[in-house]
Amino acid sequence: LGFKGDFMFIKTHHALTKFKDKPFSIEEYCRGYLYILRDPRDVAISWANHANISLSESIDFLTNDLAATRWNESLSALIPKEVQPALILSSWDKNVNSWTQNNWKCPKMIIRFEDLVYDKENMIRKIINFFYKNYKFNSLNLENKINKIMETTDFNKLQKNEKEKGFSEALNGPFFRSGKKDQWTEVLTKDQIKKIEKRFKKTMLAFGYELSKE
């Protein structure tokens, strides 16, 4: 493939699962990973906006063990649409558990989206430590680089950059739409909240997502 060495970064939303007995990946080919999860009640809102579907359709997708989608249209130039593989997401809890509850021995770090946004500097330092501890990644002028990361990943700045330059993953409106937690308290109906919490209660509680009071 033209890559040198044995280390490369790959981003995916794919569940760590098999399709027709073919695994998405195997431990032998994985040096480690960071997995980011988010409150499924907010995911439902985010996905509805991203996919341009209703909240009910989004929740049905989120709770579907066979949920899958195709690649971003902007990537069709790389792989013709007719042979693009499906991106198998599965349901929210099965995706989460596939990456967090497997028996792979490679280094892994589980990150909540909410902590990455609201406790950014601390999480950045934890990620840096993860790479140093497991791969001996080191960096000169570390404090300056952390400050630069804090600056360039400011949500308002990301929104501004997208407005001025666009963003390849945006499909139906801005990609950097809100970036806030607990949007569900003002957007979802009681029935919608109940459906998500009933289905994902065990996994939500395991990762510190409190259930609604009602």
Side-chain angles (χ1 to χ4, degrees):
L1 296 176
F3 296 107
K4 295 182 179 180
D6 64 350
F7 209 108
M8 63 181 294
F9 292 91
I10 297 175
K11 171 200 165 187
T12 184
H13 292 284
H14 208 294
L16 189 59
T17 186
K18 291 182 178 181
F19 179 71
K20 295 184 177 180
D21 293 325
K22 302 294 183 180
F24 170 68
S25 184
I26 59 176
E27 186 175 3
E28 178 185 358
Y29 296 150
C30 183
R31 293 286 301 276
Y33 58 84
L34 288 80
Y35 182 81
I36 301 176
L37 71 153
R38 185 181 186 182
D39 188 323
R41 295 163 296 193
D42 281 334
V43 173
I45 300 169
S46 179
W47 179 245
N49 281 278
H50 184 67
N52 195 27
I53 57 178
S54 69
L55 285 169
S56 294
E57 290 173 316
S58 181
I59 293 170
D60 287 343
F61 186 89
L62 208 65
T63 56
N64 182 0
D65 290 346
L66 301 178
T69 187
R70 292 290 177 180
W71 284 20
N72 189 324
E73 290 291 333
S74 66
L75 299 178
S76 61
L78 300 177
I79 300 180
K81 187 173 183 178
E82 60 271 15
V83 295
Q84 286 181 15
L87 178 65
I88 302 174
L89 302 171
S90 191
S91 57
W92 178 84
D93 61 336
K94 289 190 179 300
N95 191 299
V96 170
N97 291 328
S98 72
W99 288 101
T100 64
Q101 304 300 317
N102 60 68
N103 58 4
W104 285 16
K105 300 300 189 293
C106 60
K108 63 188 76 170
M109 181 177 180
I110 313 304
I111 303 170
R112 298 197 325 167
F113 167 88
E114 295 78 8
D115 298 328
L116 195 59
V117 173
Y118 289 89
D119 192 19
K120 186 191 298 185
E121 182 174 350
N122 184 43
M123 292 308 301
I124 290 171
R125 293 184 184 278
K126 287 183 177 181
I127 293 170
I128 290 171
N129 185 60
F130 172 83
F131 279 99
Y132 178 76
K133 177 182 177 181
N134 294 293
Y135 312 107
K136 300 301 182 243
F137 277 23
N138 209 344
S139 179
L140 299 175
N141 302 316
L142 183 58
E143 293 304 316
N144 288 337
K145 289 180 179 177
I146 290 175
N147 290 335
K148 191 66 175 178
I149 292 172
M150 294 288 292
E151 176 188 344
T152 57
T153 59
D154 175 78
F155 196 82
N156 291 330
K157 188 163 188 175
L158 292 173
Q159 284 185 318
K160 181 180 178 181
N161 287 343
E162 180 181 9
K163 186 176 181 179
E164 294 175 351
K165 304 175 184 178
F167 190 75
S168 63
E169 293 189 40
L171 294 179
N172 301 287
F175 184 85
F176 297 103
R177 184 184 55 84
S178 173
K180 298 177 180 180
K181 66 177 181 178
D182 297 334
Q183 299 173 57
W184 61 271
T185 60
E186 299 179 355
V187 177
L188 300 183
T189 67
K190 292 181 179 179
D191 286 342
Q192 289 171 333
I193 294 171
K194 183 177 180 180
K195 181 175 181 178
I196 294 173
E197 292 182 346
K198 182 178 180 181
R199 171 64 191 274
F200 300 140
K201 177 180 178 179
K202 182 178 179 180
T203 304
M204 288 177 66
L205 292 176
F207 288 97
Y209 295 116
E210 296 183 0
L211 306 182
S212 58
K213 303 300 182 182
E214 298 184 19

